[in-house]
Amino acid sequence: MVVKIPRFAFQKFKGADPTLTTQMKSVGEVMAIGRTFKESLQKAIRSLELDLNGLASRFGLDRGIPAELNRTEAIEKLNRVLRTPLPERLWYVADAMRLGFTDEELFATTKIDPWFLGQVRQLVDFERMLAGHADNPAAVLGSELLWDAKELGFSDDRLARLLGCEAAVVQIARTQPGARGVTYKRVDTCAAEFEAQTPYLYSTYGMECESRPSNRKKVVILGGGPNRIGQGIEFDYCCVHAAMALREEAIDTIMVNCNPETVSTDYDTSDRLYFEPLTHEDVLNIVHREQPIGVVLQFGGQTPLKLALPLSKAGVRILGTSPDAIDLAEDRERFRDLLNRLGLRQAESGMARSVEEAVQIARRISYPVMVRPSYVLGGRSMQIVYDEAGLLEYMHSAVKASPNHPVLIDKYLADAIEVDADAISDGETVVVAGIMEHIEEAGVHSGDSACSLPPYTLDKAIVRDIERQMRLLALELGVVGLMNAQFAVKGQTIYVLEVNPRGSRTVPFVSKAIGVPLAKVAMRVMMGRTLKGLGFTDAPLPRHFSVKEAVFPFNKFPGVDVLLGPEMKSTGEVMGIDADFGWAFAKSQAGAGAVLPTSGTAFVSVKQSDRPVALDLSKRLRTLGFQIQATSGTAGYLREHGVEVSTVNKVMEGRPHIVDHIKNGAVALVINTVRTASAHVDSLSIRREALHRGVPYFTTMRGAHAAVMGIEATLQKGLAIRTLQEYHQA
């Protein structure tokens, strides 16, 4: 029985309507295989990585109805939310059952097929029975009830929550000598007519195990789980290349993943595939069954990295960079000590465990500041705050600071250039494979920023110093395999923003740009080969420019602002290649669905600090034959400095205003930057209308500058088309 559940990302898009309709809104999906629907459903839920191990209650009803619950309010809310198809509907259905709703009432409200409602009810009833033993968990853990629960797909964590004990207690009970234990079944591709030979397995709690592990040398590779914003198909690319490298080294590969959209979950990518959730329990079960020489974590993004310390403590050998080095890079205070030891710069920062502490830190390092919760992926809940009022609003609404969940506060480096760098290390030799200059300034999440390899404006001295710092960091962390780091360059000063001792989302881009399969090389290094032995001691410096551009799902979410910031919102990316940077950028824009115009009217409305750059760009656009249109403040500045410009009304100034012009097809290009929150709101309709009409829009001056370079190249230089192979032969 196979269950697929979509993964949503509405929390990334403020103001988005989470109602599920005929318009697709999911960003990924998971798939689970079991012997019953109930088992598969529970495995799929924990595969989603939403910190939900099963039908967790939204009202705290897991172990009965708490005395403080206002039943009337809860039932009113359920009646309201159950009428609307929302991503959380499954959990609300379970809560409705706990509060006495009948299947007939639920069918009338939700139109969910009664068969499915019956299956969910069986799980809810079983949970109620388990919770009844919370005063004596041993009565469940020492009986057949434990195996009944496991056959229904209950995880150790979920059982522990229901029984009021630790997950480790459940694990000990089910792994005792003589206990039944987990079994693995092969996907039956022969309809039971012949014995299936496909190495394609899933866990269950039956009586017979079909895994039959080999005695050959083998390695487990952990995938990335469901695609989501911040972790997508780029990690699948790394996992597949790792499997290819191991096959070439005559080592068996065992892939673990739960994402049906990936190549890593094709039955012929690896020697054996386990279609399982990427949790501590599920991975440990596979490791105990297969007995590999080690487990690879660094190709699956943050998902496997979270398992590094628990797996290591359980005695599992982690291949490549050590779990302690991974923790050192993620622990803000340990990392700051490391940078001080190496003599590297970091923006002033602090860690706040309360609102009062946050205010004191921000005053000390001065505004603007970047705020975010610790241990985040994809820039979740990151924000640039310009004053104390904004900080207080963030602390009260976005996060709850506590000793266990501190908030990181960094000095925001305004007008700095952000740089991404990827490297490979074997512990002795470090090769910096690629340095990418972000086209948007620091403050836009690295996953959302367009970037250029090689850098298109940075001094050679700066690039060489970044390479030096990468080598220092990789050797000090003891990296074996891939490493990514992000820097901010302000003037001639380089600041280290963060270091990730793992494969990053830029690995596929850099590999294609320089013509070296980095994930393959890294996998060989993790198996003990040296970079010198592999003949890879220097990365080739391309003679062409490769530009990566992010692709966004804004058209799926009417009303959501398209302004870029520290929270990642892109769901994919494209790449443009050319010997000329302007053409490479123009190709990347066309690939992302925003072809740069070669004539027409450019609308320019920028904050005061951006006006000198806007002046230069406006002059260049006028030289290329474009008309310039601007709102009063920007228009006055441009006119004073000799640019012919027509003034157009802001939306609040009356019609015809700029949005009317965009609607009428009279605008070919939008350059719009804002600073204050009120200006964000005022100009939202401009950006939304440009998106709706397919008009290229740029919300940073560096992005606008690259666009003008792209337009100049398009108008002044011929288009060159070459294959990727031809670029690398050159």
Side-chain angles (χ1 to χ4, degrees), residues 54-166:
L55 295 170
S57 173
R58 298 271 157 170
F59 295 94
L61 312 176
D62 299 295
R63 291 163 61 187
I65 299 172
E68 65 272 15
L69 179 78
N70 186 322
R71 284 185 75 111
T72 307
E73 278 184 17
I75 288 169
E76 280 177 9
K77 181 176 181 180
L78 285 168
N79 276 321
R80 192 168 63 251
V81 297
L82 287 171
R83 285 190 212 104
T84 310
L86 299 167
E88 307 86 21
R89 195 187 219 185
L90 173 62
W91 291 271
Y92 285 125
V93 165
D95 271 337
M97 290 175 176
R98 293 178 182 114
L99 286 174
F101 284 62
T102 66
D103 288 3
E104 290 74 18
E105 289 170 328
L106 286 169
F107 172 69
T109 307
T110 66
K111 292 295 183 284
I112 293 173
D113 189 290
W115 186 87
F116 290 110
L117 293 172
Q119 296 287 303
V120 174
R121 186 170 292 280
Q122 287 174 43
L123 288 173
V124 170
D125 289 346
F126 194 87
E127 286 192 352
R128 187 179 295 122
M129 183 272 296
L130 288 173
H133 292 280
D135 55 344
N136 183 21
V140 171
L141 300 179
S143 72
E144 279 297 306
L145 276 176
L146 174 59
W147 307 112
D148 292 343
K150 283 295 177 183
E151 285 178 1
L152 288 170
F154 283 90
S155 67
D156 290 354
D157 286 320
R158 185 66 182 152
L159 287 173
R161 164 78 179 138
L162 294 165
L163 294 170
C165 64
E166 295 294 320

Side-chain angles (χ1 to χ4, degrees), residues 92-253:
Y92 285 125
V93 165
D95 271 337
M97 290 175 176
R98 293 178 182 114
L99 286 174
F101 284 62
T102 66
D103 288 3
E104 290 74 18
E105 289 170 328
L106 286 169
F107 172 69
T109 307
T110 66
K111 292 295 183 284
I112 293 173
D113 189 290
W115 186 87
F116 290 110
L117 293 172
Q119 296 287 303
V120 174
R121 186 170 292 280
Q122 287 174 43
L123 288 173
V124 170
D125 289 346
F126 194 87
E127 286 192 352
R128 187 179 295 122
M129 183 272 296
L130 288 173
H133 292 280
D135 55 344
N136 183 21
V140 171
L141 300 179
S143 72
E144 279 297 306
L145 276 176
L146 174 59
W147 307 112
D148 292 343
K150 283 295 177 183
E151 285 178 1
L152 288 170
F154 283 90
S155 67
D156 290 354
D157 286 320
R158 185 66 182 152
L159 287 173
R161 164 78 179 138
L162 294 165
L163 294 170
C165 64
E166 295 294 320
V169 175
V170 181
Q171 184 189 6
I172 290 166
R174 69 171 174 80
T175 53
Q176 283 181 347
R180 265 169 57 186
V182 66
T183 58
Y184 292 94
K185 297 291 184 185
R186 291 177 182 243
V187 172
D188 190 355
T189 51
C190 303
E193 190 172 353
F194 312 103
E195 185 179 357
Q197 296 301 319
T198 45
Y200 190 6
L201 301 113
Y202 63 94
S203 68
T204 187
Y205 277 80
M207 301 305 291
E208 183 191 0
C209 186
E210 300 172 359
S211 63
R212 297 190 293 281
S214 74
N215 294 320
R216 292 191 296 274
K217 202 176 181 183
K218 52 196 167 182
V219 166
V220 169
I221 301 171
L222 301 188
N227 286 1
R228 72 212 85 161
I229 293 174
Q231 186 169 303
I233 219 73
E234 58 273 23
F235 294 108
D236 181 56
Y237 169 97
C238 292
C239 289
V240 172
H241 274 237
M244 292 161 69
L246 286 169
R247 186 170 288 174
E248 290 164 11
E249 297 283 324
I251 297 169
D252 281 6
T253 54

Side-chain angles (χ1 to χ4, degrees), residues 264-561:
S264 65
T265 46
D266 282 358
Y267 70 90
D268 57 354
T269 294
S270 51
D271 294 291
R272 289 161 81 78
L273 166 67
Y274 284 88
F275 226 108
E276 291 292 290
L278 288 148
T279 69
H280 178 247
E281 175 187 344
D282 295 288
V283 171
L284 208 52
N285 285 342
I286 294 166
V287 171
H288 286 156
R289 174 69 57 180
E290 288 284 353
Q291 296 296 309
I293 59 173
V295 176
V296 177
L297 303 179
Q298 62 174 261
F299 293 129
Q302 200 70 19
T303 295
L305 280 196
K306 287 185 294 190
L307 302 177
L309 286 173
L311 287 177
S312 185
K313 285 175 183 171
V316 177
R317 183 185 172 205
I318 307 300
L319 296 175
T321 307
S322 72
D324 183 63
I326 293 166
D327 183 67
L328 172 57
E330 293 210 351
D331 185 309
R332 184 48 70 102
E333 287 168 349
R334 289 183 71 195
F335 185 61
R336 188 188 298 130
D337 292 342
L338 179 140
L339 291 181
N340 290 338
R341 199 161 61 244
L342 295 176
L344 303 182
R345 285 177 178 267
Q346 190 180 30
E348 276 195 90
S349 65
M351 195 177 284
R353 293 170 175 84
S354 66
V355 174
E356 297 73 25
E357 202 175 353
V359 170
Q360 288 171 4
I361 291 167
R363 283 176 183 168
R364 174 173 58 80
I365 63 181
S366 78
Y367 292 94
V369 295
M370 180 92 76
V371 285
R372 59 175 165 161
S374 55
Y375 287 86
V376 295
L377 177 70
R380 180 79 190 97
S381 296
M382 281 176 74
Q383 205 170 302
I384 298 166
V385 173
Y386 293 95
D387 51 36
E388 196 163 296
L391 178 66
L392 292 171
E393 185 186 346
Y394 175 86
M395 295 297 291
H396 289 303
S397 63
V399 295
K400 297 283 183 284
S402 70
N404 293 330
H405 296 95
V407 171
L408 306 178
I409 303 177
D410 296 278
K411 175 67 180 168
Y412 171 54
L413 300 167
D415 303 319
I417 298 170
E418 194 163 331
V419 177
D420 246 291
D422 280 332
I424 292 184
S425 172
D426 59 13
E428 292 182 5
T429 305
V430 180
V431 176
V432 181
I435 292 178
M436 295 148 274
E437 179 181 351
H438 287 211
I439 289 166
E440 277 76 30
E441 58 259 21
V444 172
H445 192 278
S446 61
D448 285 356
S449 178
C451 69
S452 169
L453 191 163
Y456 71 111
T457 69
L458 291 180
D459 294 346
K460 285 184 179 175
I462 292 284
V463 173
R464 280 195 297 272
D465 199 26
I466 289 171
E467 289 176 347
R468 178 187 69 83
Q469 295 192 23
M470 284 291 284
R471 291 191 179 95
L472 277 175
L473 287 162
L475 293 173
E476 185 68 21
L477 286 166
V479 170
V480 177
L482 290 166
M483 182 184 91
N484 168 267
Q486 285 155 32
F487 302 88
V489 178
K490 187 154 186 178
Q492 294 298 305
T493 306
I494 300 169
Y495 297 90
V496 180
L497 297 180
E498 65 176 87
V499 175
N500 298 302
R502 59 168 170 84
S504 74
R505 70 176 62 84
T506 50
V507 167
F509 170 69
V510 176
S511 297
K512 291 176 172 72
I514 68 172
V516 177
L518 296 177
K520 270 187 168 184
V521 176
M523 188 67 251
R524 290 195 170 101
V525 162
M526 290 159 67
M527 295 311 300
R529 303 282 291 272
T530 65
L531 289 169
K532 285 177 183 171
L534 292 169
F536 185 62
T537 53
D538 277 304
L541 185 65
R543 295 180 185 177
H544 55 270
F545 285 93
S546 298
V547 174
K548 182 203 83 172
E549 179 57 281
V551 177
F552 299 92
F554 294 126
N555 57 345
K556 306 280 185 188
F557 302 118
V560 170
D561 200 345

